[in-house]
Amino acid sequence: MKPHFQRHQQQEQTGETRHKIEEGVREFETPEELLRYDASQAPLPPAIQSRLKESLAREPAKKRPWWRRLF
Amino acid sequence: MTLGFAKMEKTAAAEASRFETIYAEHAHPIYYLALRMLGNQARAEDATHDVFLKAFRKLDSFRGQSGVRTWLYRIAVNHCQNLLQSWHHRKIFACGNEHLYEQTPDGADHPLRALENEELGERIQRTLDALPEDYRLLLLLIADKDLSYDEAASLTGQSADSVRGKLYRARKAFAAAFNQTA
C-alpha cells in the first residue's frame, strides 16, 4: 500500500464486493471481485419476471404420474 | 374425487410458490451470467426468461442431486452456449496472446484499476470476450460466492484441482486483457 495514496483512500462495500477507491479510481484485487462489483451494478430487469409469469400462465397443466396423483 | 382435485390444486399452488422462491433467490446471478456470456442486455433478458421457463418444466425431475443454483447454472450455461454456437459468435483465441498472458504478473501483485467515470461494464465485456470460453465461464462461476469450487468443477466438467490450476491462468489472462482495454 503506497502511503501517499492512503490519504485519499476509502473502502467501499458493495454487496459482497470489497474494493478501494482512490481519487476516482477503483481498485480490485482479483477479477472475481471486479466481476462481483460489475454484477452489483447490473440489476435484474423486472420485465423478465412479468414475461415469465405470462409464459407460465400459458403452460399446459403438468401431467403427474399416477402415484403422485394418489399421494 | 373432489378431495383429490383439491389436493392437485394445492400441489400446483405449492409448486408455483416454490418456483417463485427459486426465481427470487437465483434470477440475478443467472441473469448476470447470461449478460456476460452473451454480451447484450436484451439477449440476457431473453435467455434468463428461457432458462427459468425450462427450469419450471423440469422442476418435477429435479431430484436435488446438486444445489438449485448449480442446477440452474447448468441449464443457463447450456442455453447460452447453444445460442452462441447458433450465432457463430465463438471467439478464436489468438495463440500469440497466451505468451503475453503467461508473462503477466498475477492479480495479487497488480490490482485491477479502473476509472469510475468510464463505462466499466463495457470494458469488462471486452475483456471477457477476449478470453477463451473456458476461462470466461470459470471466472464468472467462481465470482459467485454461493458456488463452491466443487460445484464450478462439476459445471465445467473438470476436477476441483483442475479448476484451481485453470483459475490461476484465467486470472492472469483476465488481468492482461483488462489492462489492454485501458
Side-chain angles (χ1 to χ4, degrees):
Chain A
M1 189 72 60
K2 293 175 183 172
H4 63 279
F5 278 153
Q6 285 180 340
R7 193 155 39 110
H8 307 286
Q9 186 175 295
Q10 64 184 91
Q11 299 278 335
E12 184 177 281
Q13 188 91 25
T14 307
E16 293 186 343
T17 301
R18 194 170 177 83
H19 59 272
K20 301 165 193 163
I21 305 170
E22 293 172 5
E23 295 179 342
V25 178
R26 292 184 187 272
E27 199 173 278
F28 302 87
E29 291 295 321
T30 64
E32 296 96 294
E33 286 182 11
L34 175 57
L35 293 173
R36 276 178 213 127
Y37 173 77
D38 183 40
S40 74
Q41 302 300 302
L44 181 68
I48 301 172
Q49 189 167 14
S50 44
R51 271 182 64 195
L52 190 59
K53 275 184 180 170
E54 286 172 17
S55 299
L56 294 181
R58 286 194 298 269
E59 283 289 292
K62 288 183 179 179
K63 285 184 180 173
R64 293 182 171 277
W66 64 268
W67 56 269
R68 288 195 78 171
R69 286 199 291 264
L70 287 176
F71 299 106
Chain B
M1 291 304 285
T2 312
L3 188 66
F5 186 69
K7 192 184 275 186
M8 278 176 67
E9 278 190 339
K10 202 173 172 183
T11 309
E15 192 170 65
S17 169
R18 180 185 172 208
F19 193 71
E20 274 185 25
T21 306
I22 288 173
Y23 183 85
E25 283 181 18
H26 306 287
H28 184 250
I30 296 299
Y31 167 73
Y32 182 69
L33 179 85
L35 178 67
R36 290 293 168 239
M37 278 188 81
L38 303 176
N40 176 288
Q41 187 179 332
R43 287 171 179 168
E45 285 186 28
D46 289 346
T48 306
H49 166 272
D50 294 348
V51 165
F52 276 91
L53 192 57
K54 282 182 183 178
F56 180 79
R57 288 169 180 162
K58 292 179 176 179
L59 200 56
D60 280 344
S61 59
F62 175 62
R63 305 254 179 256
Q65 305 95 322
S66 63
V68 175
R69 179 74 58 92
T70 308
W71 176 62
L72 290 168
Y73 268 137
R74 196 178 299 282
I75 298 172
V77 168
N78 286 338
H79 185 78
C80 291
Q81 283 175 338
N82 287 341
L83 286 176
L84 289 169
Q85 279 178 359
S86 68
W87 296 335
H88 302 287
H89 275 190
R90 278 177 287 183
K91 302 290 178 188
I92 297 168
F93 183 52
C95 295
N97 283 346
E98 269 192 54
H99 185 61
L100 171 69
Y101 295 158
E102 292 302 320
Q103 289 177 331
T104 306
D106 63 29
D109 296 333
H110 289 256
L112 300 153
R113 298 167 68 92
L115 285 170
E116 281 184 76
N117 61 356
E118 70 182 314
E119 294 295 334
L120 183 59
E122 284 180 19
R123 195 174 160 196
I124 289 170
Q125 189 64 57
R126 288 201 304 275
T127 302
L128 289 170
D129 287 347
L131 297 183
E133 190 185 327
D134 53 347
Y135 284 7
R136 179 168 62 238
L137 178 58
L138 187 58
L139 286 170
L140 287 169
L141 293 174
I142 292 293
D144 185 342
K145 282 189 168 178
D146 287 343
L147 209 66
S148 68
Y149 274 45
D150 284 342
E151 288 168 323
S154 161
L155 282 165
T156 53
Q158 301 167 83
S159 69
D161 283 342
S162 298
V163 161
R164 286 185 182 87
K166 190 171 273 187
L167 184 59
Y168 175 75
R169 294 190 294 277
R171 283 176 178 147
K172 287 173 72 172
F174 185 97
F178 186 76
N179 290 330
Q180 280 186 337
T181 63

